[in-house]
Amino acid sequence: MNLSFWVLDVGQKTGRNPRVLLWGIDDKGRRVLVFDTFTPHIYVVPKPSVSVDSLLNTVKLSSIEASPITSVEVVERRLLGKPVKCIMMSFDDPDYSNQYVRKLERIPGVEGCFEADIRFYTKYLNYTGVTPCCWHTVKASPEGGDHYDVYVAEEHPKPLGEERPPSLKLLGFKIDVYSPTGSMNPEIDPVILISTVTGEGVVRQFEADGHDDREALRSFVSYVSEYNPDVVVGFYSNFFDLQYLANRAKHLGIKFTINRDGSEPHISVYGHVSIVGRAHVDLYDVASVLPEVKLKTLRNIADYLKVKAESPRVSVDLTQLPRYWDNPSLKGKILESSYHDSELLLGVAEKLLPTAVSMSQVSGMPLDQVMRAGVGFRVENMLMREAHVSGELVPARGERARQPYVGGYVLEPRPGIYRDVAVLDFASMYPNIMIKFNVSPDTYVPPDENVRDNDVYVAPEVNHRFRKEPPGFYKRVLEKLLKVRREIRERMKKLSPRSQDYLLLDERQRAVKTMTNAVYGYCGWTGAKWYLRQVAEATAAWGRETIKKAIEIAKNHELKVLYADTDSVFINNIPEKVEAFSREVESSLGLEIKPDKVYVKVFFSGAKKRYAGLLEDGTLDIVGFEVVRGDWPEIAREVQEKVVEIILRSENVEEAVNYVRSVVDVVAAGQIPLEKLVIWETLTKSPEEYKVKAPHTVAAARLIKAGGRLEAGSKIGYIITRGSEKISDRAYPYSLVKPEEVDTEYYITNQVIPAAMRVLEHFGVKEEVLLRKKTAKQAKLI
């Protein structure tokens, strides 16, 4: 029979006669599992002086009994653009790929083995063209099944080219943990509340009986099985919620069987937590596409996306959970706060899931992995698919030391406030440079190779050379991506901007744009399979030349360039001159530059990548200040953001000074809630591995001594207490600190005042003024 289905999740069963598992939804809305077969194989490339035919017999005799070689054949491929004859060797079990590599690379005459380090089902997807989150048709035989229909493919599925996803059952969840120490140890600290929300907006809460969470966990597991979601979403769920639930259940002897096949979740590739047969998507990972939101919390993301909850906004700080839970009159606040967050979780999922689906379609990576994987891995997966189509062997990943190179050009701004400032960005500057100058690992010409000057492009400053012909691998891929995006945008022009098809295509074109722009960063990543430092270095050099020429063109049009950074210029907004400037840049440099935003006012601190602007819609756009960092306490971020807002909205320095003074008074009086004073830092290694005492390591050691459990990757929240010792010796976990023990002077002089002075120092304000130590004349605004 012919089956049409949408691929939701991808898995594998290795061993002799391995199979790929394609979980999905068919065109009648039924949940299906399709088994397909694929033959594991690697490529053996001979040394230049060795005939490939002379290696055939030796390779055949290298068979491993547990996974016998099934075939060897001579094939023609390209390696970094150069034609090679190699041996395609197939065998039974993909788990033996690395053993074969070690054995074959000891054979004299073998240059190397390729594509052995690619995951079995990833290679299957790359070779067959099966794409996650897309519709396919397959000739298959039914095999029954209880909770889902099982099929065996008789041939590989074929893409149908349909973007619209089926109706997906969605379940969001979040947990609250009772942890007096703040370390959250699943062997000690119970899960007091699990809140869930369905795609239809139904919220259910599974509440612990006091500190006994056994029934809450069992009920949650039963509910997941009963509701049977296709997509499970959380926020920070890869790092915390799912792992904590699984470890807590294990400690209590409860089977955490929420996978579609009745098994338990496990940590898989890229560190994501896999729920077999379902797609687990951590919205924290998806929020990586929102660089405007620097401090990524669920509520910050919801605010940015304009997601509103129906329930009243209630917030209970993490540090206060134990106190609220143990107090019957306050316990309800935890339930309300979690209910509110569940509604926000659903709203954020509705906004961001289409982004993840589109990125999965473009990169070819499964939905549950694509946003957890780094940008480099997304690009690489896309490149591997393109490599197969064009007959390129995928290079092996190598160990390389980081080789720094000069990046983009920055014209630093003069400090002050400027009005009516236009920001113009080059459209896909680096991809277009790589296309224009054919920059690619396979077109690079080493210094000792003789070529005619007319046959190469030479990068400015660094003098790296790249062949003009034939088109390089990167050029072919980038041109294809840009063509796909143009075609998508043409299709969008024929649709209503409010239609579902338009919105789906818009997400897809944005995903294509993101991947296109990420190729430059990938080529400079030392972990890349297609890494070549000269490619990244030359592209950056051409980029610096481009932005400098753009600055000169702006000056010729009597436009003042206030700031420039990599591919953006900030100029005074004179519309007719800005338009003429854009036209000349495009005609003379061959690159498109377009207005990105207009600031009514913008404040430059004088340092690169540190400014704040007031946009035309009245919102603040803050870049580079402490307000966007997570390692400063909330009080410092709050003060800095308010100071920036006062300066930009009212331009009243005295008002900003008085505001800071009022905060200083409140902090000095000990009236700031403890949670606003907590400084959070992440442990990059196990606490015992630290040799140098720092505040967060000292606090971590104290938390462990008090019964907490911390490891590499854990976050530690600490407060500085009173005393005469070094600051690091006065750092205590927030859960062990009482309000009267806080060193208010430290927070005033080391947090509040420095955060405010990052802005106010540019207007003649001295620290003494904020501390009322003496008066000083305020400088006027620029």
Side-chain angles (χ1 to χ4, degrees):
M1 63 171 289
N2 288 322
L3 174 72
S4 295
F5 73 112
W6 191 84
V7 178
L8 171 69
D9 187 30
V10 184
Q12 64 186 38
K13 286 189 179 298
T14 55
R16 302 285 287 267
N17 303 313
R19 296 193 293 180
V20 173
L21 285 64
L22 301 173
W23 298 85
I25 302 164
D26 72 9
D27 53 3
K28 296 179 178 61
R30 295 175 301 200
R31 276 57 192 168
V32 300
L33 169 60
V34 177
F35 288 105
D36 199 4
T37 56
F38 185 67
T39 304
H41 62 272
I42 59 177
Y43 294 94
V44 184
V45 175
K47 291 181 177 178
S49 59
V50 176
S51 163
V52 66
D53 295 319
S54 67
L55 285 177
L56 273 174
N57 285 334
T58 309
V59 169
K60 286 178 183 177
L61 295 173
S62 300
S63 190
I64 296 173
E65 185 178 352
S67 175
I69 293 173
T70 55
S71 69
V72 292
E73 60 177 310
V74 176
V75 296
E76 293 185 358
R77 294 289 185 270
R78 285 200 302 272
L79 179 59
L80 294 177
K82 296 179 180 178
V84 293
K85 273 190 174 183
C86 55
I87 298 170
M88 180 178 172
M89 188 196 80
S90 302
F91 48 98
D92 268 354
D93 186 351
D95 290 339
Y96 283 80
S97 293
N98 290 331
Q99 287 191 38
Y100 268 116
V101 169
R102 288 194 294 270
K103 190 171 186 179
L104 292 168
E105 288 187 340
R106 289 198 295 265
I107 297 174
V110 170
E111 180 76 15
C113 297
F114 293 84
E115 302 194 9
D117 58 347
I118 303 174
R119 198 174 179 85
F120 177 61
Y121 69 70
T122 299
K123 188 181 286 190
Y124 165 86
L125 295 175
N126 293 347
Y127 272 69
T128 63
V130 172
T131 306
C133 295
C134 285
W135 286 93
H136 299 76
T137 182
V138 62
K139 188 176 180 182
S141 304
E143 275 202 357
D146 296 326
H147 303 295
Y148 44 85
D149 296 334
V150 180
Y151 296 87
V152 176
E154 296 176 16
E155 56 187 27
H156 297 319
K158 295 179 175 58
L160 287 174
E162 170 62 43
E163 287 100 355
R164 182 190 286 267
S167 178
L168 298 170
K169 292 186 72 175
L170 182 141
L171 183 69
F173 80 104
K174 73 175 294 290
I175 69 173
D176 289 296
V177 175
Y178 182 98
S179 177
T181 66
S183 71
M184 300 190 188
N185 183 342
E187 295 181 7
I188 301 171
D189 302 318
V191 178
I192 52 177
L193 186 64
I194 307 173
S195 293
T196 65
V197 60
T198 68
E200 296 78 30
V202 178
V203 176
R204 283 192 60 176
Q205 295 183 307
F206 303 93
E207 183 181 341
D209 181 9
H211 297 167
D212 184 355
D213 54 351
R214 289 177 172 81
E215 190 54 38
L217 283 167
R218 291 192 186 98
S219 297
F220 173 71
V221 171
S222 297
Y223 180 60
V224 173
S225 177
E226 173 192 328
Y227 183 68
N228 196 22
D230 302 306
V231 181
V232 177
V233 300
F235 196 89
Y236 218 64
S237 48
N238 268 320
F239 301 91
F240 178 66
D241 297 65
L242 262 182
Q243 291 193 52
Y244 197 93
L245 283 172
N247 290 331
R248 181 67 181 163
K250 182 179 180 181
H251 174 71
L252 296 175
I254 297 170
K255 291 190 177 298
F256 194 58
T257 50
I258 64 171
N259 292 1
R260 194 157 247 162
D261 63 356
S263 61
E264 300 187 25
H266 63 279
I267 298 176
S268 187
V269 63
Y270 309 116
H272 84 282
V273 180
S274 174
I275 305 178
V276 173
R278 316 186 198 278
H280 165 227
V281 179
D282 187 341
L283 296 175
Y284 175 84
D285 294 329
V286 189
S288 65
V289 301
L290 303 174
E292 301 88 349
V293 187
K294 299 301 189 295
L295 190 59
K296 290 180 171 60
T297 65
L298 175 61
R299 297 196 176 197
N300 283 356
I301 296 295
D303 287 345
Y304 175 78
L305 296 173
K306 296 180 171 57
V307 171
K308 304 294 182 186
E310 293 182 10
S311 59
R313 184 158 190 160
V314 178
S315 180
V316 177
D317 190 86
L318 177 68
T319 62
Q320 299 300 309
L321 275 177
R323 182 171 70 87
Y324 274 54
W325 188 256
D326 290 336
N327 188 328
S329 64
L330 295 175
K331 181 179 177 181
K333 294 291 184 185
I334 296 178
L335 300 177
E336 290 178 45
S337 175
S338 187
Y339 194 104
H340 175 86
D341 283 349
S342 296
E343 293 180 317
L344 294 181
L345 189 66
L346 175 60
V348 170
E350 290 173 341
K351 297 271 189 178
L352 292 184
L353 264 181
T355 300
V357 168
S358 293
M359 200 65 76
S360 177
Q361 294 168 339
V362 173
S363 68
M365 297 181 74
L367 179 58
D368 62 343
Q369 298 176 19
V370 66
M371 302 310 292
R372 175 83 282 268
V375 175
F377 288 111
R378 291 176 219 156
V379 172
E380 189 162 88
N381 202 79
M382 176 193 67
L383 292 175
M384 288 194 296
R385 292 171 73 89
E386 291 296 329
H388 172 68
V389 171
S390 59
E392 288 274 351
L393 291 178
V394 177
R397 196 182 310 283
E399 292 291 329
R400 310 177 183 95
R402 183 174 178 272
Q403 297 176 295
Y405 58 89
V406 180
Y409 174 75
V410 177
L411 175 68
E412 296 188 4
R414 290 184 60 191
I417 285 185
Y418 299 84
R419 293 168 177 77
D420 200 14
V421 175
V423 183
L424 285 85
D425 287 347
F426 277 96
S428 302
M429 175 197 268
Y430 286 150
N432 280 306
I433 284 173
M434 296 172 79
I435 290 171
K436 182 178 179 180
F437 298 107
N438 203 24
V439 184
S440 187
D442 51 320
T443 61
Y444 172 67
V445 180
D448 57 354
E449 186 174 330
N450 292 321
V451 291
R452 294 186 307 172
D453 292 345
N454 290 338
D455 291 340
V456 294
Y457 295 110
V458 182
E461 300 178 36
V462 295
N463 296 321
H464 298 317
R465 300 176 299 167
F466 297 87
R467 295 182 189 278
K468 294 180 178 180
E469 294 293 342
F473 181 51
Y474 281 163
K475 179 175 181 174
R476 298 196 306 272
V477 170
L478 289 169
E479 284 182 330
K480 183 175 179 179
L481 287 170
L482 291 175
K483 180 184 177 185
V484 166
R485 186 166 181 243
R486 283 195 300 271
E487 290 173 348
I488 293 172
R489 297 178 80 175
E490 285 300 315
R491 290 169 61 189
M492 290 170 63
K493 291 178 182 178
K494 301 174 184 177
L495 300 169
S496 166
R498 296 182 180 179
S499 69
Q500 185 66 22
D501 287 338
Y502 181 95
L503 297 174
L504 288 169
L505 287 174
D506 191 33
E507 285 294 344
R508 190 170 176 84
Q509 69 87 16
R510 279 197 283 175
V512 173
K513 177 184 177 181
T514 300
M515 292 289 283
T516 305
N517 290 335
V519 171
Y520 160 72
Y522 170 81
C523 70
W525 171 43
T526 54
K529 288 178 178 289
W530 278 277
Y531 170 76
L532 188 65
R533 178 183 58 81
Q534 291 86 344
V535 168
E537 193 170 42
T539 304
W542 266 305
R544 290 193 298 275
E545 180 183 67
T546 300
I547 200 76
K548 288 176 184 178
K549 287 181 178 178
I551 290 171
E552 290 305 312
I553 293 172
K555 291 178 180 177
N556 293 338
H557 285 272
E558 299 179 333
L559 289 167
K560 186 175 182 181
V561 180
L562 306 172
Y563 174 52
D565 187 352
T566 308
D567 61 353
S568 301
V569 290
F570 292 60
I571 55 181
N572 50 322
N573 186 31
I574 305 172
E576 61 277 9
K577 291 187 177 182
V578 170
E579 188 176 341
F581 161 72
S582 300
R583 286 198 303 268
E584 185 175 341
V585 166
E586 187 168 354
S587 63
S588 62
L589 302 183
L591 297 172
E592 184 181 11
I593 191 168
K594 298 185 297 186
D596 177 49
K597 62 184 77 169
V598 173
Y599 290 117
V600 176
K601 300 172 195 171
V602 62
F603 162 64
F604 291 116
S605 69
K608 63 182 180 181
K609 301 185 188 297
R610 184 179 287 180
Y611 58 90
L614 183 64
L615 295 168
E616 292 177 301
D617 64 359
T619 59
L620 289 176
D621 183 29
I622 300 174
V623 177
F625 285 97
E626 284 75 9
V627 71
V628 299
R629 289 173 47 183
D631 56 352
W632 280 60
E634 185 179 339
I635 186 62
R637 298 196 299 269
E638 190 178 281
V639 165
Q640 193 174 78
E641 183 169 13
K642 185 64 178 177
V643 168
V644 168
E645 183 176 6
I646 292 171
I647 291 295
L648 286 175
R649 293 193 192 281
S650 68
E651 303 188 25
N652 190 326
V653 175
E654 185 175 356
E655 181 186 349
V657 168
N658 288 334
Y659 162 72
V660 178
R661 285 174 169 175
S662 70
V663 175
V664 168
D665 290 342
V666 174
V667 174
Q671 296 173 349
I672 292 288
L674 280 181
E675 55 264 28
K676 289 194 175 186
L677 303 177
V678 178
I679 302 169
W680 291 94
E681 292 199 44
T682 301
L683 296 171
T684 56
K685 49 190 174 182
S686 299
E688 62 272 11
E689 294 182 57
Y690 284 94
K691 305 301 181 188
V692 179
K693 288 203 307 184
H696 70 293
T697 62
V698 172
R702 285 171 169 153
L703 185 58
I704 291 171
K705 188 175 181 180
R709 192 174 89 175
L710 295 168
E711 54 194 22
S714 296
K715 283 195 171 186
I716 176 72
Y718 64 90
I719 288 176
I720 303 300
T721 60
R722 297 180 187 274
S724 57
E725 303 94 338
K726 295 178 182 177
I727 288 176
S728 57
D729 291 329
R730 293 187 279 122
Y732 281 81
Y734 68 82
S735 56
L736 305 181
V737 177
K738 297 176 182 177
E740 61 271 18
E741 296 173 333
V742 174
D743 185 350
T744 55
E745 185 64 25
Y746 167 83
Y747 281 94
I748 291 169
T749 58
N750 293 76
Q751 301 290 340
V752 173
I753 298 299
M757 286 300 294
R758 291 287 196 276
V759 180
L760 293 178
E761 66 181 348
H762 300 289
F763 303 102
V765 177
K766 305 295 183 185
E767 287 189 17
E768 294 85 353
V769 174
L770 300 179
L771 294 168
R772 293 191 180 90
K773 291 185 178 179
K774 65 179 181 179
T775 60
K777 185 178 180 180
Q778 305 301 311
K780 291 183 179 179
L781 293 173
I782 294 174

